Amino acid sequence: MQKKLFGLDGPVRIETRRIGDDRGHFMETYRDDWFRENVADVSFVQDNQSFSALAGTIRGLHFQLSPHGQGKLVRCLSGAIFDVAVDMRPQSPTFGKWISETLTSENAYQLWVPEGFAHGFCTLAPDTQVSYKVTCFYNPAYDRGVAFDDPDIGISWPIDLSKATLSAKDRAQPRLFSLR
């Protein structure tokens, strides 16, 4: 495994190595000792999986408040996503800044989104499945979100937003600076 850092302190892209032959391939997708030494010293408590039938589906931007904040290790099992992490740490010099990575079943990249960041993604292909490990159980009392199209964040989504598929909850999320 290898890692790539971004301009924001926290998120990390993880690159896995595939070993293949005429039968297909094998890859190690998670190794606790490597992750703790190279990315973050955390424990994962829950695995989640989502399926989006349509390309252009946006899920997010979601996060949980402390003491139930979640770190997420995200990977795309089938299809492709434009994956986003937004710094939501109020005292951070990069508050409101974002990074993105394209995760596909072919590139097998994973994105570590640490606690204190909102997470969301846009599907780039139909029938996309995403799996992610989290460091804290879901707690609806601490569940929060921020508008995916907030101009103060300025995410450059790779689709026509007027045609995006979103939940009612994600369409009604507040703007970033109302949360600070």
Side-chain angles (χ1 to χ4, degrees), residues 38-55:
N38 292 282
V39 180
D41 189 13
V42 297
S43 296
F44 293 103
V45 299
Q46 182 175 315
D47 282 358
N48 300 323
Q49 187 167 326
S50 74
F51 172 79
S52 299
L54 301 175

Side-chain angles (χ1 to χ4, degrees), residues 14-65:
I14 299 164
E15 300 174 16
T16 56
R17 187 173 74 99
R18 285 188 175 159
I19 302 167
D21 59 24
D22 58 349
R23 299 170 295 164
H25 69 267
F26 169 86
M27 65 182 173
E28 188 175 85
T29 61
Y30 176 76
R31 185 178 166 121
D32 188 72
D33 60 343
W34 184 90
F35 192 87
R36 287 177 187 275
E37 183 178 323
N38 292 282
V39 180
D41 189 13
V42 297
S43 296
F44 293 103
V45 299
Q46 182 175 315
D47 282 358
N48 300 323
Q49 187 167 326
S50 74
F51 172 79
S52 299
L54 301 175
T57 298
I58 294 178
R59 294 181 182 263
L61 301 161
H62 306 141
F63 63 101
Q64 284 192 178
L65 298 174

Side-chain angles (χ1 to χ4, degrees), residues 82-158:
F82 177 80
D83 206 20
V84 176
V86 179
D87 190 346
M88 298 300 295
R89 302 169 295 181
Q91 305 308 316
S92 172
T94 57
F95 176 79
K97 303 293 184 202
W98 60 279
I99 61 94
S100 67
E101 188 64 58
T102 299
L103 308 181
T104 70
S105 55
E106 287 79 30
N107 69 23
Y109 293 163
Q110 296 179 68
L111 183 65
W112 165 243
V113 180
E115 181 179 341
F117 282 75
H119 173 252
F121 61 85
C122 173
T123 59
L124 303 174
D127 300 329
T128 294
Q129 291 191 64
V130 176
S131 175
Y132 54 101
K133 298 177 171 305
V134 295
T135 59
C136 191
F137 297 111
Y138 174 72
N139 188 317
Y142 293 84
D143 183 36
R144 298 293 186 274
V146 63
F148 74 98
D149 59 350
D150 187 330
D152 291 324
I153 299 172
I155 296 171
S156 298
W157 295 100

